[in-house]
């Protein structure tokens, strides 16, 4: 398996990495600022959760209409244009006087654009790295995302005490603007991986092909549902601890970073392939303790420990790539991200609704219990499936 340092010697990896880092930082800062802005204006846990995780709800529409473009558009042009679109949308959100409904509409439109960008990015990563380089490469991206979120949430929490949420949204827009030239100037002008024009019909046909295999179906469900339900817990940080939401988000990012390092670099393949279910259980079980409404220090420990379980997605993505033809890699990875983010957005809406009727702590406990139940059901259904190594041999 390639070392992390060798990945930066691969052409195009560094600009893709840096451009993605700027976008992650922008998304983190902007999401926290928007959630705070909406919660201060409305006092609603549901609307605050939707403002931060609402873009995920648009992923389902992107997955059914736009996703064929992930392999049928020039990657450099697509990624740079998408960064500019996010800069414009985030700047628009900072305008004073916009009602909450308009803010949420912009959030959903940006989520629709994002569903295409995710497929383009991960398809390009799979293309520029060797076959055995995707997992460490994706692990490094996840680690970067964790560090960027830690820095973004800590910095964002500090900035929100000194600046208005609208000023923080403008800073996020500036970060998106920084990503656009990094991607445009640093990436090569690659042709699309697949010929033809993107269209809803092609998207549907490819989705049906990917979904037709039982092994891929269960892998997709494992990537989407348990993860999404736990993100419903995360969407309630603002309403659970309004003055320390940035701290809880930073703890979650720290735990995710630890999980990605462990799974992506430290664990041998034979051990790693057996850890998907244990890691998914770890992702949810600590949130069950929120039934006791723990104080902030205990909540920070629970959140950090649980987020180590996000490393399960690396194991599942490795299996997905073993089950997928190379020419469909971008579409397959885009479908994974679109489905995962859709479930995250739906879970944020469900968690916000439960919190509105009960309390944030009760809602977090309920979402965690549902995640545990789904993980156990998928594990039982998957016992008859071949191992990841056998799937890779079959694909070869």
């Amino acid at each position: 398996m390639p070392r992390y340092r060798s990945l930066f010697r691969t052409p195009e990896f560094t600009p893709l990495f840096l451009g993605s880092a700027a976008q992650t930082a922008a998304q983190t800062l902007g999401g926290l600022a928007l959630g705070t802005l909406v919660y201060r204006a409305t006092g609603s846990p549901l609307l605050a959760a939707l403002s931060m995780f609402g873009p995920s709800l648009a992923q389902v529409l992107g997955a059914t209409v736009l996703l064929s473009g992930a392999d049928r558009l020039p990657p450099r042009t697509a990624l740079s244009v998408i960064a500019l679109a996010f800069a414009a949308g985030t700047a628009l959100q900072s305008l004073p006087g916009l009602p909450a409904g308009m803010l949420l509409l912009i959030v959903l439109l940006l989520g629709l654009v994002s569903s295409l960008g995710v497929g383009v990015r991960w398809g390009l990563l799979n293309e520029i790295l060797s076959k055995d380089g995707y997992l460490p490469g994706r692990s490094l991206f996840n680690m970067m995302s964790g560090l960027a979120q830690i820095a973004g949430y800590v910095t964002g929490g500090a900035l929100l005490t000194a600046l208005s949420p609208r000023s923080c949204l403008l800073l996020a827009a500036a970060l998106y603007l920084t990503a656009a030239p990094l991607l445009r100037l640093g990436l090569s002008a690659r042709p699309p991986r697949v010929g033809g024009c993107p269209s809803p019909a092609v998207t549907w046909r490819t989705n049906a092909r990917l979904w037709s295999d039982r092994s891929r179906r269960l892998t997709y469900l494992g990537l989407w549902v348990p993860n999404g339900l736990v993100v419903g817990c995360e969407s309630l940080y603002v309403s659970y601890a309004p003055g320390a939401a940035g701290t809880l988000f930073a703890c979650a990012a720290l735990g995710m970073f630890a999980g990605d390092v462990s799974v992506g670099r430290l664990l041998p393949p034979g051990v790693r392939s057996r850890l998907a279910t244990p890691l998914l259980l770890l992702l949810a079980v600590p949130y069950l303790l929120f039934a006791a409404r723990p104080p902030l220090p205990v909540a920070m420990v629970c959140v950090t420990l649980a987020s180590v379980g996000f490393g399960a997605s690396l194991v599942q993505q490795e299996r997905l790539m073993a089950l997928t033809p190379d020419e469909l890699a971008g579409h397959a990875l885009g479908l994974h991200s679109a489905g995962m983010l859709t479930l995250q957005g739906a879970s944020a809406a469900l968690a916000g609704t439960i919190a509105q009727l009960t309390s944030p702590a009760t809602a977090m406990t309920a979402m965690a219990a549902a995640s545990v139940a789904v993980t156990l059901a998928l594990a039982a259904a998957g016992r008859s499936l071949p191992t990841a190594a056998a799937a890779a041999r079959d694909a070869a």
Side-chain angles (χ1 to χ4, degrees):
M1 182 180 293
R3 293 184 176 275
Y4 289 143
R5 185 179 300 175
S6 67
L7 297 175
F8 289 99
R9 293 195 290 268
T10 303
E12 299 181 81
F13 181 85
T14 299
L16 182 62
F17 183 86
L18 293 177
S20 298
Q23 289 176 292
T24 301
Q27 183 179 13
T28 302
L29 176 59
L32 182 59
L34 186 62
T36 302
L37 177 67
V38 172
Y39 189 68
R40 288 179 182 176
T42 65
S44 169
L46 173 59
L47 291 179
L50 286 177
S51 66
M52 293 189 69
F53 295 91
S56 306
L57 290 172
Q59 297 283 334
V60 65
L61 181 59
T64 57
V65 177
L66 299 177
L67 200 50
S68 59
D71 295 306
R72 290 172 172 81
L73 293 173
R76 183 179 70 174
T77 300
L79 289 174
S80 55
V81 169
I82 288 170
L84 291 174
F86 267 84
T90 305
L92 186 60
Q93 289 172 334
S94 70
L95 295 177
L98 284 181
M102 181 61 69
L103 288 173
L104 292 177
L105 176 61
I106 297 170
V107 163
L108 293 175
L109 289 175
L110 291 178
L112 185 62
V113 174
S114 177
S115 65
L116 175 60
V118 168
V120 175
R121 180 186 301 115
W122 301 136
L124 178 59
L125 180 67
N126 189 64
E127 186 176 352
I128 65 179
L129 295 178
S130 60
K131 195 68 176 177
D132 62 344
Y134 176 79
L135 187 137
R138 186 63 187 266
S139 170
L140 192 57
F141 268 78
N142 287 358
M143 290 161 55
M144 171 273 293
S145 178
L147 289 174
Q149 288 180 37
I150 293 171
Y153 285 127
V154 171
T155 304
L159 287 173
L160 284 170
T161 63
L163 302 174
S164 68
R166 289 189 171 85
S167 298
C168 292
L169 284 169
L170 287 176
L171 290 175
L175 284 171
Y176 281 121
L177 278 177
T178 302
L182 279 173
L183 296 167
R184 180 67 186 179
L185 300 176
L187 297 177
S188 301
R190 289 172 174 264
R193 283 179 290 278
V194 179
C197 295
S199 69
V202 174
T203 300
W204 273 101
R205 284 198 299 270
T206 308
N207 286 345
R209 179 181 173 186
L210 291 169
W211 192 251
S212 63
D213 179 78
R214 183 169 181 265
S215 296
R216 277 197 297 263
R217 275 200 306 276
L218 289 178
T219 303
Y220 273 126
L221 290 173
L223 282 162
W224 294 346
V225 186
N227 173 311
L229 290 168
V230 170
V231 170
C233 300
E234 294 184 347
S235 72
L236 298 175
Y237 289 168
V238 171
S239 52
Y240 183 83
T247 300
L248 290 177
F249 277 116
C251 289
L254 177 62
M256 185 175 67
F257 176 82
D260 288 329
V261 172
S262 300
V263 174
R265 186 70 259 168
L266 302 181
L267 297 177
V271 175
R272 185 172 63 233
S273 63
R274 296 192 295 270
L275 288 182
T277 296
L279 285 169
L280 287 175
L281 291 174
L282 175 62
L283 182 61
V285 168
Y287 281 102
L288 297 176
L289 298 178
F290 277 77
R293 293 172 172 78
L296 181 61
V298 178
M300 291 167 60
V301 173
C302 292
V303 166
T304 304
L305 181 61
S307 298
V308 173
F310 279 115
S313 67
L314 289 174
V315 181
Q316 296 165 310
Q317 286 176 59
E318 187 176 37
R319 178 178 179 81
L320 180 63
M321 287 295 93
L323 294 167
T324 303
D326 288 343
E327 68 272 14
L328 297 181
H331 193 119
L333 292 167
L335 183 61
H336 143 55
S337 292
M340 179 184 70
L341 293 172
T342 297
L343 263 294
Q344 290 178 0
S347 296
L350 176 60
T353 301
I354 297 173
Q356 196 89 13
L357 298 174
T358 57
S359 70
T362 300
M364 294 165 85
T365 307
M367 301 301 286
S371 181
V372 170
V374 171
T375 295
L376 294 176
L378 289 174
R383 288 194 184 106
S384 61
L385 296 179
T387 65
R393 288 195 298 271
D394 292 344

